[in-house]
Amino acid sequence: MCGVFGIHGHDEAANIAYLGMHALQHRGQESAGLVAADEGKLRRHVAMGLVSDAFNRDVLAKLPGTTAIGHVRYSTAGSSELRNAQPFLFEYAGGSVSIAHNGNLVNAGELRAELEAQGSIFQTSSDTEVIVHLMAKAPQPDIVGKLVHALKRVRGAYSLILLTSDGKMIGVRDPNGFRPLVLGRLKDAYVLSSETCSFDLIEGDLLREVEPGEIVIVEKGGMTSQKLPEIAERTFCVFEHVYFARPDSLVNGKSVYRAREKMGMKLAQEAPVEADVVIPVPDSGVPAAVGYAKESGIPFELGLIRSHYVGRTFIEPQDSIRHFGVRLKLSPVRSVVDGKRVVVVDDSLVRGTTSRKIVKMLRNAGAKEVHLRISAPPTTHPCYYGIDTPTRSELVAASHTIDEINTYVTSDSLSYLSHEGMMQAVGSANEKTGQGYCSACFTGKYPVQLGTDQLVTLRRARV
Ligand code: AMP
C-alpha cells in the first residue's frame, strides 16, 4: 500500500510532485519522500507522517531541478521507520539512482538471504532494497539493462518509478500488473502516477496506463517504451476497486466510483432486506451504499459521520481511552437512525471489530434493526502483493461462517456480495483473456507463486 508519482521536464518539478503525492495520500500515511534531479545531482528529502507534515516551502526550495519522483508509504514489508522511507537513493558505478516502489515482492526474503551470503549489506528492512542490490550487481552497462536484469529475479507486485542522475525517469510495472501506474502529460512534461486523481489535481492529461510488463523511459528527447522479457496474464488487484483506490480515479480505464456503485447495486439484488434507510460506513462505503439505495429504492442518508482529524497512524496510548477507538473516528446521527430499520453498507469486513462496534453504536443511537451489507466477498486470505491485510488467523471469515460472523458482530442480518457479483461490477480488466483480476484475498488463488516465508505463515494459519 503505497503511492508513487514522477514528473519529467517541468521547472517546478518538486512542487508538482508534492501536489501529486498529496492526491495519493490515501495510499500511504506513514512516510513521504521526494527526490529531485538538478544538473546531474539528485537531492532527497524523506520524513515520517503525511505529505503536508513532511514538506514545507523551505524544504521544497532545497529540491531544485526539472525532474522529481515522490512516494507515500504504508508498510507492507519492512517496519514503519525513517530508514524504510522512500524514494531510496543510491550510488553505483555509473552514477546515482533513486527508486520508489508500490507493491510487494514475494521472494524478497530468499533473495535477500542470497545477496547477504554474497556480502551485500542492507541498510533497510524493505523488500525494495533487493532490487537496488540486484541492479548494482548487474553486468549491463546501462541503467535500463540493469533494471531488466534485476527484475528477472524478483516475483510479485511492483509499480516502480526510477530517477537517474543522467536525467532519465523510468516507470515500470510487473508483468501481472497488480498495482496501477498511469502515464500523463502536464504541458511539455511527462508525468507518472499510481492514480489518475493526481493528474486531475495538477491539471494534467491522462495519456494511458503503463501496460503490465512495460518499461517507459522518459528523457530529454522524449519517451520510449519497451517490454520486460517475462510475459504473464494480467491480474490487476480487484481490491483497488473495492477499497484502496480513490473513487475519483480511473483504474484500468474504469471509474472506481462507478464500479463501487455497481457493487452496491448488485448487493441490493443479491441480498435485499426490508428497511427504512441505507447508510454508508464513511468514507469507503459511500459509493456502494449509493448503489444499494438506488437499486433498492430505500432512501440514502448519512447515519454515521466520520472525523477527518483522526490520523490512520493514531496510536491508542492508554487503556483509559483505548475503548473509544472506532468512536473517535465515527459517530452516529441519532435523528437518522432512531427507531429505524437500518441497512449499513461497508466495502469490506476484515477482522470484524469495526462492524461490531458500529452495530453497537447504531443500536445505542436508537436503531430498531441493523442489517449489515458488505460490498465484496468474505476476506478469507491475506494479500502478499501489496495490500496490508492481517494474517489468516486474524481474518474472521477465514475460520467462521457468515452466520457465525453475524452473531459476532451482533447484526440482525449480514450478507456479502458474491464473487461473481463483484466481478460483474468491475467488468473485464483484459479484453483479450476475460477477467484479468487478482482476487486472492477472497479466493486464496494466488496468481504468482508465493515465497517460502508466505507459504510457511499460510500453512501455520491452517493448523
Ligand atoms: P475490521 O474491523 O478489521 O473488520 O475492518 C474493516 C474496515 O477496515 C472496513 O471499514 C474497511 O473499509 C477497512 N479496511 C479494509 N481493508 C483495509 C486495509 N487493508 N487497511 C485499512 N483499512 C481497511
Side-chain angles (χ1 to χ4, degrees):
M1 291 168 76
C2 293
V4 291
F5 184 89
I7 177 150
H8 185 284
H10 194 286
D11 286 341
E12 288 189 52
N15 286 344
I16 302 289
Y18 169 82
L19 291 175
M21 288 153 68
H22 200 83
L24 299 176
Q25 187 76 83
H26 60 289
R27 298 185 70 88
Q29 300 89 35
E30 287 180 8
S31 65
L34 215 158
V35 171
D38 183 35
E39 292 175 0
K41 184 160 177 55
L42 300 189
R43 293 184 180 86
R44 173 178 188 256
H45 177 80
V46 296
M48 299 305 287
L50 302 176
V51 176
S52 54
D53 297 329
F55 292 92
N56 57 34
R57 196 184 297 177
D58 294 342
V59 171
L60 288 169
K62 287 181 191 142
L63 297 166
T66 55
T67 304
I69 65 171
H71 187 268
V72 290
R73 177 161 193 264
Y74 191 116
S75 54
T76 49
S79 49
S80 176
E81 51 183 315
L82 192 61
R83 71 188 177 120
N84 286 334
Q86 295 193 21
F88 292 147
L89 177 58
F90 69 101
E91 310 284 330
Y92 73 109
S96 319
V97 182
S98 178
I99 184 167
H101 175 202
N102 170 210
N104 193 48
L105 307 178
V106 290
N107 63 338
E110 287 131 81
L111 289 173
R112 183 173 174 135
E114 179 189 313
L115 286 158
E116 282 177 336
Q118 292 165 6
S120 291
I121 297 169
F122 280 73
Q123 291 178 10
T124 74
S125 59
S126 152
D127 57 336
T128 313
E129 197 183 341
V130 166
I131 300 176
V132 171
H133 285 269
L134 290 169
M135 283 175 72
K137 281 172 161 266
Q140 288 76 2
D142 64 302
I143 198 74
V144 176
K146 284 182 186 299
L147 180 63
V148 172
H149 180 88
L151 295 179
K152 271 189 202 152
R153 297 284 326 272
V154 306
R155 288 201 316 274
Y158 52 86
S159 283
L160 304 171
I161 304 182
L162 292 90
L163 179 59
T164 66
S165 48
D166 65 353
K168 288 190 186 73
M169 177 173 79
I170 302 165
V172 56
R173 218 170 148 201
D174 67 69
N176 293 73
F178 280 104
R179 300 280 142 232
L181 189 65
V182 282
L183 175 70
R185 296 219 71 163
L186 177 64
K187 299 196 183 100
D188 292 336
Y190 278 96
V191 274
L192 287 165
S193 178
S194 293
E195 287 185 40
T196 60
C197 61
S198 55
F199 296 167
D200 296 333
L201 177 64
I202 62 169
E203 298 181 331
D205 298 312
L206 170 67
L207 285 179
R208 62 178 178 84
E209 71 166 343
V210 176
E211 292 291 322
E214 184 184 5
I215 310 175
V216 294
I217 304 132
V218 185
E219 49 198 326
K220 257 215 173 97
M223 194 206 78
T224 53
S225 158
Q226 64 186 66
K227 281 278 186 179
L228 289 173
E230 194 196 330
I231 294 170
E233 237 183 66
R234 181 190 290 245
T235 52
F236 182 73
C237 168
V238 78
F239 202 65
E240 293 269 352
H241 268 304
V242 169
Y243 166 79
F244 199 38
R246 233 169 74 160
D248 53 336
S249 283
L250 297 173
V251 298
N252 277 321
K254 293 194 173 82
S255 157
V256 174
Y257 180 90
R258 291 290 172 216
R260 284 184 196 163
E261 186 187 36
K262 266 192 211 153
M263 289 177 206
M265 293 171 105
K266 294 259 171 217
L267 185 57
Q269 291 163 7
E270 291 181 6
V273 60
E274 282 210 10
D276 304 308
V277 64
V278 174
I279 67 165
V281 177
D283 293 326
S284 52
V286 174
V290 169
Y292 194 100
K294 269 191 191 170
E295 185 67 19
S296 64
I298 304 169
F300 173 89
E301 301 250 31
L302 295 178
L304 288 165
I305 301 299
R306 180 178 173 148
S307 165
H308 290 269
Y309 309 104
V310 187
R312 277 214 198 162
T313 45
F314 175 77
I315 302 158
E316 295 133 8
Q318 286 165 23
D319 278 350
S320 57
I321 63 166
R322 187 166 294 158
H323 76 279
F324 286 98
V326 171
R327 265 198 284 167
L328 268 174
K329 200 151 97 178
L330 295 170
S331 55
V333 183
R334 181 173 279 276
S335 64
V336 170
V337 301
D338 195 10
K340 304 271 176 60
R341 296 168 299 172
V342 181
V343 181
V344 189
V345 182
D346 202 356
D347 62 275
S348 53
L349 194 153
V350 184
R351 296 179 183 87
T353 45
T354 308
S355 306
R356 190 180 155 92
K357 286 177 182 156
I358 286 171
V359 173
K360 192 171 169 208
M361 200 187 278
L362 292 170
R363 288 202 201 281
N364 286 343
K368 211 159 68 182
E369 293 173 18
V370 182
H371 301 277
L372 191 58
R373 294 292 178 271
I374 305 296
S375 60
T379 306
T380 50
H381 287 75
C383 176
Y384 296 113
Y385 308 125
I387 297 283
D388 180 37
T389 39
T391 59
R392 195 147 192 249
S393 54
E394 289 171 88
L395 296 171
V396 67
S399 52
H400 295 85
T401 64
I402 296 177
D403 275 349
E404 286 167 347
I405 301 169
N406 185 42
T407 306
Y408 172 66
V409 301
T410 71
S411 40
D412 290 286
S413 74
L414 165 67
S415 297
Y416 290 84
L417 181 63
S418 66
H419 190 268
E420 198 189 354
M422 176 181 70
M423 288 310 187
Q424 283 168 1
V426 295
S428 171
N430 186 339
E431 302 307 334
K432 283 183 219 130
T433 60
Q435 283 292 352
Y437 286 99
C438 171
S439 57
C441 51
F442 306 120
T443 62
K445 289 183 191 140
Y446 293 97
V448 167
Q449 190 205 334
L450 300 180
T452 36
D453 299 352
Q454 294 102 37
L455 289 170
V456 167
T457 45
L458 261 188
R459 237 175 269 133
R460 246 189 241 139
R462 275 195 206 111
V463 177

